[in-house]
Amino acid sequence: MNIVIIAGSNRKAATSTRLSSYVGQLISQKGHSVKLFDLYETPLPFYSSEGTGHDHESVVRLQQAMREADGVVLASPEYHGSISGVLKNALDFLGQDHFRGKAVLSMSSAGGAVGTSSLTQLQAIVRNLHGINSPEWISIGGAQRSWLMDGLNGYEGAGQDLSDRIHRATVTFLDLAALVRNKN
Ligand SMILES: Cc1cc2nc3c(=O)[nH]c(=O)nc-3n(C[C@H](O)[C@H](O)[C@H](O)COP(=O)(O)O)c2cc1C
């Protein structure tokens, strides 16, 4: 399957981007093709419904990859109980043609223990884009962020628990993506 991951932080050393790479590696190891769009490395213009920016090279590339995707992973930092501005801006360039009938895994990184506000809002956006929310999401928060930056090594049982949780949610997403692909 073709899987697109959109890493929605505007920060070079972002933990949500590190999480995106980690999940991307898991998906690649299972034999799927992964395209990671890091919105820090590939900034998009501000969306305008008047059409400016729609022919920007990075926008066109994202839209093309999304059209070819069988499943989508969205990652955001938790900002003020919501998703980042850059991720929302990227999603505004996309529509139901890019998401309809496709499995979507939502992930977030929060300063607090969990980032469920951003994840709840991300899943509401996915529903409006006619994507299919995967039943499990991935939230990392607090100290888990530095564990992830260290590759989840050396944190005894806690690091293993987090790694198991990320693996389980990723497999659940891939199973759903395989189930619903070609049914559109
Ligand atoms: C503008 C701003 C707003 C934030 N709001 C929240 C918040 O509402 N809840 C929270 O737990 N952390 C909040 N944080 C902390 C970030 O969620 C945390 O640093 C996160 O790991 C950033 O993700 P990143 O490493 O992918 O950039 C906020 C940080 C910034 C810069």
Side-chain angles (χ1 to χ4, degrees):
M1 292 188 289
N2 293 325
I3 305 296
V4 170
I5 303 178
I6 305 179
S9 179
N10 199 19
R11 199 165 76 82
K12 188 170 187 186
T15 50
S16 52
T17 307
R18 175 73 191 95
L19 177 62
S20 299
S21 307
Y22 186 81
V23 166
Q25 280 166 21
L26 295 182
I27 295 173
S28 294
Q29 282 163 12
K30 294 193 180 295
H32 305 289
S33 158
V34 175
K35 278 195 181 135
L36 196 158
F37 268 84
D38 174 350
L39 294 174
Y40 173 82
E41 298 287 348
T42 311
L44 304 184
F46 279 129
Y47 174 83
S48 164
S49 59
E50 290 174 352
T52 52
H54 290 246
D55 54 358
H56 188 282
E57 188 201 335
S58 302
V59 172
V60 172
R61 216 153 35 85
L62 175 63
Q63 290 173 333
Q64 183 61 31
M66 286 293 292
R67 246 177 242 113
E68 292 165 6
D70 297 301
V72 183
V73 180
L74 301 174
S76 180
E78 173 115 345
Y79 278 178
H80 304 323
S82 187
I83 67 170
S84 67
V86 291
L87 179 58
K88 181 60 171 65
N89 185 61
L91 293 171
D92 288 344
F93 277 108
L94 302 171
Q96 293 167 1
D97 286 352
H98 303 105
F99 278 90
R100 185 176 294 108
K102 295 176 186 175
V104 183
L105 171 62
S106 292
M107 314 196 294
S108 84
S109 170
V114 286
T116 53
S117 298
S118 55
L119 289 168
T120 303
Q121 295 191 18
L122 200 45
Q123 290 205 336
I125 294 170
V126 169
R127 203 174 56 233
N128 280 280
L129 286 163
H130 296 190
I132 302 173
N133 282 304
S134 190
E136 291 182 53
W137 60 31
I138 299 175
S139 167
I140 59 161
Q144 292 174 337
R145 294 171 301 161
S146 39
W147 302 353
L148 192 80
M149 295 310 259
D150 293 346
L152 292 175
N153 301 315
Y155 295 96
E156 297 173 354
Q160 187 60 47
D161 284 354
L162 178 59
S163 154
D164 289 348
R165 196 154 52 78
I166 294 172
H167 276 73
R168 197 183 58 233
T170 303
V171 169
T172 300
F173 157 70
L174 288 173
D175 287 348
L176 179 66
L179 194 69
V180 299
R181 89 190 276 228
N182 299 331
K183 290 203 172 155
N184 302 312

